[in-house]
Amino acid sequence: MSGSIDIVGLGPGDPGLLTRQAWERLASAPEVYLRTRQHPCVGALPNGPAYHSFDACYQEHTSFEDVYAEIATRVMALGRRGQGVVYAVPGDPAFGETTVQLIRAQAKAEGIPVRLFAGVSFVEPTCHALGCDPFDGLQIADGTLLAGR
């Protein structure tokens, strides 16, 4: 099967925190699919690629679970193309990104290669702002999973 999926982390919002590896992958792509344009660094991304977003999915569905499933389905369809797809997400793609988890599982089942381009997650700048060490008992929970409890 041809195709591929490159997933790029956009970092926590400050364009200065976008990794060099992420910047270079974005700059070299003819087109980039953003999980959302509602991210502070989108306006500072490299010129050249055509940027598309999945923002409409947030209006089409009433739950994040459905939004993320729809985005993952669309990214998978794009990834099956010969040229593959570059998909960009806030933060780090391996940290708290439901769409990435869904895409990775499906891509593995279909034999489509996935590459992750790391980004700074929200944890580091949050800890800097709070003056805390994450190894000193930090616990992180997904608020969407706690809503019904």
Side-chain angles (χ1 to χ4, degrees):
M1 168 158 281
S2 62
S4 64
I5 301 171
D6 288 352
I7 306 176
V8 179
L10 297 178
D14 180 346
L17 294 178
L18 190 66
T19 68
R20 182 179 189 135
Q21 182 187 47
W23 179 272
E24 289 173 357
R25 182 61 191 107
L26 293 169
S28 69
E31 62 181 1
V32 173
Y33 287 81
L34 306 165
R35 178 167 64 79
T36 180
R37 285 187 188 276
Q38 305 306 309
H39 187 276
C41 85
V42 167
L45 293 178
N47 292 326
Y51 291 97
H52 312 282
S53 83
F54 295 109
D55 287 334
C57 293
Y58 292 89
Q59 305 304 315
E60 296 167 4
H61 299 284
T62 57
S63 73
F64 284 117
E65 182 178 271
D66 292 341
V67 169
Y68 297 152
E70 175 73 19
I71 292 171
T73 297
R74 291 184 185 190
V75 171
M76 286 300 303
L78 292 163
R80 289 183 194 104
R81 304 176 305 173
Q83 71 267 35
V85 65
V86 175
Y87 173 54
V89 299
D92 182 277
F95 197 101
E97 266 299 320
T98 302
T99 60
V100 174
Q101 294 169 5
L102 295 169
I103 291 163
R104 289 178 87 181
Q106 175 113 19
K108 182 178 180 180
E110 294 185 29
I112 298 173
V114 175
R115 293 187 305 171
L116 299 184
F117 294 79
V120 176
S121 78
F122 69 90
V123 175
E124 294 88 347
T126 300
C127 288
H128 284 255
L130 295 174
C132 69
D133 182 343
F135 289 106
D136 191 23
L138 177 68
Q139 293 183 8
I140 299 173
D142 183 340
T144 62
L145 300 176
L146 301 173
R149 298 180 185 179

